Each structure stands twice: as C-alpha cells, then as structure tokens.
Amino acid sequence: MFAFLDVPVAGAYHLVLALSNLLAPLLGAASTVAAIIGFTILVRLLLHPLSRAALRGERARAVLTPQVNSLREKHKRDPQRLNEELAKLYRESDTSMFAGCLPVLLQAPFLSVMYRLFESTTISGKPNDLLSHSLFGATLNQHWLPVMQGAVAFTPAGLVFLALFALLATVATYTVHWQTTRMATSQDAPMPGGRLLRVLPYGTILIAAFLPLAAGIYLLTTNAWTAAERTWLRRPKTNHTFSPPSAFAD
C-alpha cells in the first residue's frame, strides 16, 4: 500500500540520516530532530515560489470582490446560475476562487513521507536506523496515544509530547490572531467560513496526537514557517522618501 511513496521515503531517509550524522558532533542526541527541521525548511524553500504565486492570486481575487458581491446579490435566488457566473468571472480574469490553497495542499505528500519514514521498519530493504533515535527520552517513532494509555503522561516522553502540543497551540493562536487582524484591516477579499478559520489552526494539535513524534515536529516546523512566511509576504509596503530637515525646508 502507498508503494508510490517508497522512492521519496528512501530519498528523505538518506537526506535526514546524512544531516543527522553531520550535526551529531554539535548537537548529540538532538541532531536527528535538527535534521527533521532542516529537511522541513528545505521543503518549504522549494515551495516558496508557489507561496508567492498564491499571494498574487489572492490579490487578483481581491480586485474582483466588488464584482463577486454584485453577482451574489443578483443571483442569490439561483445558486446554479451564480456558480456559473462566478466561474466565468474567474476564468475571464485568469484567477481562481481557491487562490492561495495550493501551498497548503502540497504539504500533505511531504507529511505523508515523514509519517512513513518513522513508521517503516525497513527502508529499501534495510533496517530503518532512524527508529532508534530519540528526543529527551521519547523515540521519534513514538505516538502520544499509547503514552496516555500507559498512564505515563508526565514521564519524559509524555512531557515531550505536551511541549509539542503547547508549541502547536502557540503557532495556532498567532495564526488566528494574524488572520483576524488581516480580515479586519485588509482590503483582500473576505474568505468564507470566518468562524471556522478561527478553529482550524488548532486542529494541528489533534493531528499531531495521531502521528509519530517526528511527523509532529515536521508539522510544527512547517506551520511556524507558514505563519512567518505569510507575515513577511503580506507586510505593509513602506515608501522610503527623503524629507529635508526643517532647517533647509525654506
């Protein structure tokens, strides 16, 4: 099952193991975690051009907001006609109502690779050496639910997972605050399901509860990157113009 992931999983295995061995003299037992973070950053750097393209798509969609609102008002009693007219509008403007979704959707395959990487006992027919690596007493292939079922939530392994969940919650809180602030102050097109958008970021905590620790670290790193990337790409543009001192104004 999922045999199509065998090649990318093998590639990720050799990359993460090589990074771990390279960092081991400096970081010791934490080198594999650092290698996972490094792997995640490499993935996000590769996807960064798509994030820029998605931003351009969002801005193009924002320009169409008055026309979209007009169509919704005009065809509010005919949903089928409304959908046809909206599709026509986006097609003619060479944009999409789903602008901005592609970088998020592309995260799923990489998360699946990281999941398989720390769930597979063998990689390319050889033992998976990464399964023996750990972080503060929690092996990187360990899951949170068995830890809780064993009533060992406050053992080193349990505390590592609690720290992971706390960091995910912190990133989610920042994301919700940023989204709320942007929707209140920006002229971008409003996204549907505003209340749902305030809840969805916290779903990463639930997802991490069913993943091996290594995949949870990947999820935390990529979410933190997304939050920082969105903030940077959508930062206010400032015009640096020279203003002469008042003494020379005359």
Side-chain angles (χ1 to χ4, degrees):
M1 189 176 181
F2 302 116
F4 67 93
L5 289 177
D6 288 348
V7 172
V9 168
Y13 172 76
H14 291 296
L15 178 58
V16 171
L17 192 60
L19 287 173
S20 177
N21 292 335
L22 180 65
L23 296 171
L26 293 175
L27 301 177
S31 61
T32 305
V33 172
I36 294 170
I37 294 172
F39 172 83
T40 310
I41 291 173
L42 288 174
V43 169
R44 295 311 306 263
L45 285 173
L46 288 173
L47 295 180
H48 182 68
L50 293 178
S51 297
R52 286 184 170 275
L55 176 59
R56 290 193 294 271
E58 289 180 11
R59 288 173 174 167
R61 185 171 61 85
V63 173
L64 299 177
T65 298
Q67 298 176 63
V68 170
N69 291 339
S70 177
L71 288 173
R72 285 175 176 167
E73 180 64 26
K74 182 178 180 180
H75 303 294
K76 60 183 178 182
R77 299 183 184 277
D78 190 350
Q80 181 176 352
R81 178 67 183 280
L82 173 61
N83 290 334
E84 292 173 355
E85 292 296 329
L86 286 176
K88 179 181 177 181
L89 174 64
Y90 286 120
R91 184 172 60 253
E92 291 177 348
S93 61
D94 195 26
T95 186
S96 169
M97 66 181 71
F98 303 109
C101 295
L102 186 58
V104 176
L105 295 176
L106 286 178
Q107 288 302 303
F110 292 103
L111 182 60
S112 298
V113 166
M114 187 59 62
Y115 179 88
R116 283 282 306 276
L117 184 57
F118 284 87
E119 286 288 303
S120 304
T121 56
T122 59
I123 302 292
S124 300
K126 297 181 180 180
N128 185 351
D129 292 337
L130 291 175
L131 298 186
S132 62
H133 295 209
S134 62
L135 174 67
F136 301 127
T139 55
L140 294 177
N141 67 329
Q142 196 165 7
H143 289 250
W144 178 71
L145 290 179
V147 171
M148 291 301 295
Q149 291 170 356
V152 288
F154 294 101
T155 61
L159 291 175
V160 168
F161 276 100
L162 290 178
L164 173 65
F165 297 154
L167 290 172
L168 283 169
T170 300
V171 174
T173 299
Y174 173 83
T175 299
V176 171
H177 174 74
W178 179 84
Q179 288 176 340
T180 302
T181 302
R182 187 170 71 94
M183 285 189 292
T185 60
S186 175
Q187 296 181 352
D188 288 353
M191 294 295 290
R195 292 183 179 179
L196 183 60
L197 290 177
R198 294 183 177 90
V199 177
L200 280 178
Y202 293 97
T204 56
I205 302 172
L206 180 62
I207 294 172
F210 291 91
L211 297 175
L213 177 59
I217 293 170
Y218 175 93
L219 189 62
L220 171 62
T221 306
T222 193
N223 285 355
W225 178 282
T226 297
E229 184 179 60
R230 285 176 176 175
T231 302
W232 183 73
L233 288 178
R234 293 165 176 81
R235 68 195 186 281
K237 301 297 184 181
T238 57
N239 295 322
H240 298 285
T241 57
F242 175 74
S243 299
S246 57
F248 300 98
D250 297 334

